[in-house]
Amino acid sequence: MTQQRLNLDWLLKDLATSVPQTRHVVVLSSDGLSIAELGAVKEPDGGTDTADRVAAACAGLQSLAAAIALEFPHGEGRMRLVVIELDGGFFYLMAAGQGAYLAVLADEGVDSGLMGQRMRDLVARIGEHLSSAPRSDEPI
């Protein structure tokens, strides 16, 4: 079964426009497939290649985060938020529903506190729409 791309443009655009310096927003499944994405104005081609690369990388990153989470005695081993500061910007990965994640690339000047707050707000508002059902090899 092919993963359907959802039309979440209006929601992702709201996040991107409410936080200056946002470059790219991707909703992905836990196995690294892009479900929905919004490229920044800086990427006139839409940035689908970027979304696919980010989604694939996130599958490994969320797996690593889950392994580290198991080291905390009172946790359940679930990743909630990963933030990576890089030369040139920031990367955010947040759990966003059952089997779904929200990833954001932002430039250096981004307000990290505002980004985290807006991502949490988005996930709280529409988390059920960001869920990704497990894929099956059985025909529908």
Side-chain angles (χ1 to χ4, degrees):
M1 178 172 101
T2 305
Q3 182 74 42
Q4 275 189 320
R5 288 183 80 82
L6 300 177
N7 186 356
L8 299 174
D9 291 354
W10 63 281
L11 293 164
L12 302 183
K13 186 173 184 174
D14 183 48
L15 172 64
T17 58
S18 68
V19 184
Q21 308 297 322
T22 300
R23 176 176 290 276
H24 212 98
V25 182
V26 180
V27 177
L28 60 129
S29 64
S30 60
D31 58 356
L33 296 176
S34 174
I35 297 170
E37 57 98 13
L38 180 69
V41 177
K42 297 172 187 169
E43 298 180 38
D45 65 349
T48 302
D49 288 344
T50 299
D52 291 340
R53 285 191 307 269
V54 167
C58 286
L61 187 56
Q62 64 88 18
S63 179
L64 289 170
I68 291 169
L70 293 173
E71 298 303 318
F72 293 92
H74 301 294
E76 296 179 23
R78 290 180 294 160
M79 186 277 305
R80 289 189 271 175
L81 174 66
V82 172
V83 180
I84 301 175
E85 183 176 3
L86 307 155
D87 290 339
F90 290 86
F91 168 77
Y92 302 86
L93 179 63
M94 180 177 283
Q98 183 65 37
Y101 295 87
L102 177 62
V104 177
L105 297 174
D107 291 331
E108 273 183 308
V110 71
D111 180 334
S112 291
L114 179 61
M115 179 61 79
Q117 176 187 0
R118 296 287 195 235
M119 288 177 72
R120 280 189 302 275
D121 292 348
L122 176 62
V123 168
R125 275 187 6 225
I126 53 128
E128 67 274 4
H129 299 291
L130 295 181
S131 294
S132 175
R135 292 186 299 158
S136 171
D137 292 335
E138 297 176 23
I140 295 178

